[in-house]
Amino acid sequence: MSPHVPSTAGRSTAGHPAAAMTRRGWMAGAAAAGLGALCPSPAVPAAPRPLPSVRDVPRRWRVGYAESMPYGNYAATLAAILGELERMGWTGALTGMPYRPGQTDTAALWSWLAARAGSPVLDFVADAHATNLTPDGAAALVTRLHQTRDIDLMIVMGTVAGVALATDAHCAPVLAFSCTNPIAAGIVESEADTGRDHVWAHLDPRRFQRQLSIFHKTFQFRRLGIAYDDSPTGRAIASLPDIEAAAGRIGFELVERHVRAPIDHLDQYRYEIDLTAAWDALSREAEAVYITYGRWPLDRFTSLARPFLKRRIPTFSQLGPEEVERGALMSIARADMAGIGHFGAATLARVMAGEPLRHLPQVYFDTPSIAWNAATAAAIGYRIPFPALLAADSLHGVL
């Protein structure tokens, strides 16, 4: 059965999907009303106790950074945390910090911090930045944390990096962000207890089930396609338990294809060939496709996703608006990074002031908003309902 899509009469004459339009400011009231039906706001957790101040920190902290790979959300999260630390007075002025929205590079940002952050309590260790973390690189970093001990705390981005550093082989505090499902990945034990005294992770435990609920309410599909690496880490990165839970709760069938993640950059070509074959098969067999996190560069996404456009298959990006901008039909958008920046900076402050890491709050979520690609909608013959357009935080594919 093909997914139900309304008539294409009056469809958009959208241009290239790189153009984006932000609507939150001028349609806030209508957006809130329109989004509510698809995306109800979760209950807000109770506020934690007051934040410590710099005066509550008895010593300087040497901080390192590791990420799974260069990725815009990692850089944005790091920049947001730094901006909040500056606002709180935990760094000097960060004017001129080399960050622009959308960038993926954190190395230059980290080097700049090491030289110019001017914090009364934080030292950003210049040679303690790691990206594209390999098993060998992770092992060397763990050895440094355990033996050399010239790094007091690690800020970590991504599931692969989180899994590698959430280990009992060292005892340096690890704060993990932007991990798909830290509980399923084994980074932390639960929402209430991290399972280790020195490991913490940001959690949004119902994020992907919310995504799939929205997607299903929109298209009422009976067969949903997914492709992922069928390994423990790969299943965690895709948050497969959440996908399976949503399928059971809502009542749709999963059409699955397995694609082994690239071992290194030399294996990337093989990976993209296998991914192309998997996505082509899903475009023939599924009514809609949930594009889980993968190891493709963003600039390759439009080409790789072409089978879905060709066969008019609705797609939802697990990643977010970065892939909607490049041709996925829809995803959940975050209006800005201020919330996660405050949450991360507050956690960092509490750890440095001596609060036990193991039981600090881990759950934080934004009120979600939907990102759409109007050009993709037109290409697959779907007219985005007007209330959904009003509720969208960003609309791509519009000139």
Side-chain angles (χ1 to χ4, degrees), residues 28-185:
L35 182 60
L38 281 181
C39 207
S41 299
V44 178
R49 56 189 172 277
L51 282 175
S53 73
V54 172
R55 294 185 298 275
D56 298 317
V57 180
R59 64 181 177 90
R60 297 189 69 81
W61 284 70
R62 298 162 297 187
V63 181
Y65 174 88
E67 63 186 15
S68 301
M69 62 183 187
Y71 170 42
N73 195 60
Y74 300 164
T77 301
L78 176 60
I81 292 170
L82 293 168
E84 185 64 18
L85 287 172
E86 177 190 22
R87 191 195 66 79
M88 291 162 52
W90 290 64
T91 72
L94 299 183
T95 305
M97 184 173 70
Y99 173 75
R100 297 291 180 272
Q103 79 180 50
T104 60
D105 173 61
T106 56
L109 172 56
W110 195 261
S111 295
W112 187 93
L113 286 171
R116 306 186 188 183
S119 169
V121 291
L122 285 164
D123 292 322
F124 298 97
V125 180
D127 67 346
H129 176 281
T131 189
N132 286 317
L133 199 63
T134 63
D136 288 344
L141 185 51
V142 168
T143 298
R144 181 175 180 179
L145 293 171
H146 175 63
Q147 295 183 2
T148 309
R149 298 194 178 188
D150 63 337
I151 302 171
D152 299 316
L153 180 146
M154 289 295 303
I155 297 173
V156 177
M157 299 284 173
T159 303
V160 171
V163 168
L165 296 182
T167 170
D168 291 324
H170 69 88
C171 58
V174 170
L175 307 185
F177 298 87
S178 291
C179 302
T180 309
N181 188 328
I183 296 174

Side-chain angles (χ1 to χ4, degrees), residues 14 97 117 216 357 381:
M97 184 173 70
H216 188 264
L357 179 63

